Amino acid sequence: MTADDRYHVSGLPEAQFEPGSNGLVFKNLLGITSKQVMDEAEARALEQAMDVLIRMYSATHRFTAQDLSDCHRTWLGDIYEWARSLSACECQQRWIPFCCFRTRSCHDGSV
């Protein structure tokens, strides 16, 4: 896997890789260089975040952009500096966009 077939956020902090990771692990606060170790760290963080988030939101909650940002920060904020704030970048994995601020604004609070 290379930077080109992961996430496309050229020039932004999200596009930086951890030195020594051969471009497989995003720059992170933990200094992890192994993709397997990072996958495990993200999975543990997701389990912990789910324990917190499931208590924060009801089944009928209507999520806003801020809620999604808060969920992202709760999950990955201790791993990645850039996960601590709302991103305004065009993000896609391979050819599938999953954050398109230029075509649909999330800044109005709706998702």
Side-chain angles (χ1 to χ4, degrees), residues 5 17 26 36 41 51 61 63-65 68 76 84-85 88 97 106:
D5 58 10
F17 291 92
F26 289 128
Q36 179 179 350
D51 286 342
H61 182 80
F63 285 88
T64 65
L68 297 179
L76 296 172
R84 296 176 176 181
S85 61
C106 292

Side-chain angles (χ1 to χ4, degrees), residues 14-25:
E14 294 90 333
Q16 297 176 15
F17 291 92
E18 192 65 31
S21 73
N22 296 320
L24 297 177
V25 179

Side-chain angles (χ1 to χ4, degrees):
M1 182 179 300
T2 67
D4 291 335
D5 58 10
R6 191 120 187 222
Y7 301 101
H8 300 283
V9 289
S10 59
L12 298 174
E14 294 90 333
Q16 297 176 15
F17 291 92
E18 192 65 31
S21 73
N22 296 320
L24 297 177
V25 179
F26 289 128
K27 186 162 181 59
N28 62 84
L29 299 168
L30 306 176
I32 295 172
T33 58
S34 163
K35 183 172 179 345
Q36 179 179 350
V37 172
M38 181 53 76
D39 288 346
E40 292 167 1
E42 288 180 354
R44 278 192 308 278
L46 180 58
E47 287 179 27
Q48 293 169 350
M50 290 302 294
D51 286 342
V52 171
L53 296 171
I54 202 156
R55 292 179 185 87
M56 289 178 62
Y57 301 106
S58 70
T60 58
H61 182 80
R62 185 176 172 134
F63 285 88
T64 65
Q66 185 60 55
D67 292 333
L68 297 179
S69 180
D70 292 344
C71 291
H72 195 248
R73 182 177 38 258
T74 299
W75 172 27
L76 296 172
D78 290 337
I79 297 174
Y80 303 109
E81 179 70 34
W82 48 263
R84 296 176 176 181
S85 61
L86 186 61
S87 178
C89 65
E90 294 284 331
C91 301
Q92 69 181 34
Q93 189 169 20
R94 301 194 184 194
W95 63 90
I96 303 169
F98 57 87
C99 183
C100 303
F101 282 93
R102 291 187 192 129
T103 58
R104 173 156 186 196
S105 174
C106 292
H107 295 290
D108 63 2
S110 65
V111 178

